[in-house]
Amino acid sequence: MLFLDPDNGIEVPSTKYGASGSSKCVYWSELKDTYENGHSILVYQHFPHENRERFVQRRACRLRDELRASDVIAFSTSYVVFFLVQQPRHVSAFANAAHEVQQQWRSQIGVWPAATAGGVS
C-alpha cells in the first residue's frame, strides 16, 4: 500500500499538471498509474468547505470509478479524511481492519461505508 499526502488535494482544477505548484497535488493520472501497478492507495485529504458526508461519498465514488477499483473505504475525523482505494486481493484484510477501527475509535473516526463484522457493508 502507498500513502499519499497531497498538500492541495486531488487534481485541483486551478493547477494544471506540470504547472508551478502542481507538486502540491496528486493527479488522477498518477493515481491510476499507481493503482494499475498493483498498489492499494491511502490518500489524505482535508475537508473542503462543503457538506462532509456528501464530499466523502462523492470522492469515494469518483476514486472507485476513475481507478476502476474494487472498493474504497473512507476514514474521517473532524477535519480530515483518508480514502483507502483497495486492490481486490486486499479487500478482505482491509474490511476487517476497517471494522476494528470503527469499533475502537467510534467516537473519533468515522468509517464509510459502515464496517460490519463480516466486512464492509
Side-chain angles (χ1 to χ4, degrees):
M1 175 179 24
L2 293 177
F3 173 66
L4 303 173
D5 179 7
D7 292 340
N8 294 342
I10 299 173
E11 197 158 322
V12 178
S14 62
T15 308
K16 300 292 182 206
Y17 184 81
S20 177
S22 65
S23 63
K24 293 183 177 190
C25 302
V26 64
Y27 291 84
W28 290 109
S29 61
E30 295 171 317
L31 291 169
K32 287 177 191 175
D33 288 346
T34 301
Y35 189 78
E36 288 173 1
N37 281 321
H39 301 284
S40 288
I41 307 168
L42 184 65
V43 183
Y44 172 88
Q45 291 268 251
H46 285 283
F47 279 116
H49 298 289
E50 65 179 83
N51 179 281
R52 291 177 179 182
E53 288 181 33
R54 282 193 293 252
F55 172 76
V56 168
Q57 185 173 5
R58 184 174 39 80
R59 182 55 51 113
C61 289
R62 182 157 183 204
L63 280 161
R64 187 189 62 235
D65 294 346
E66 291 276 347
L67 279 57
R68 297 185 186 131
S70 61
D71 206 358
V72 176
I73 300 173
F75 301 91
S76 62
T77 69
S78 298
Y79 301 103
V80 303
V81 59
F82 297 83
F83 292 99
L84 177 58
V85 185
Q86 305 167 76
Q87 289 287 338
R89 68 185 184 279
H90 298 148
V91 168
S92 179
F94 286 143
N96 292 332
H99 177 71
E100 295 274 328
V101 167
Q102 190 171 40
Q103 294 304 308
Q104 292 181 16
W105 297 92
R106 184 179 317 261
S107 65
Q108 296 174 323
I109 300 174
V111 178
W112 182 93
T116 63
V120 176
S121 61

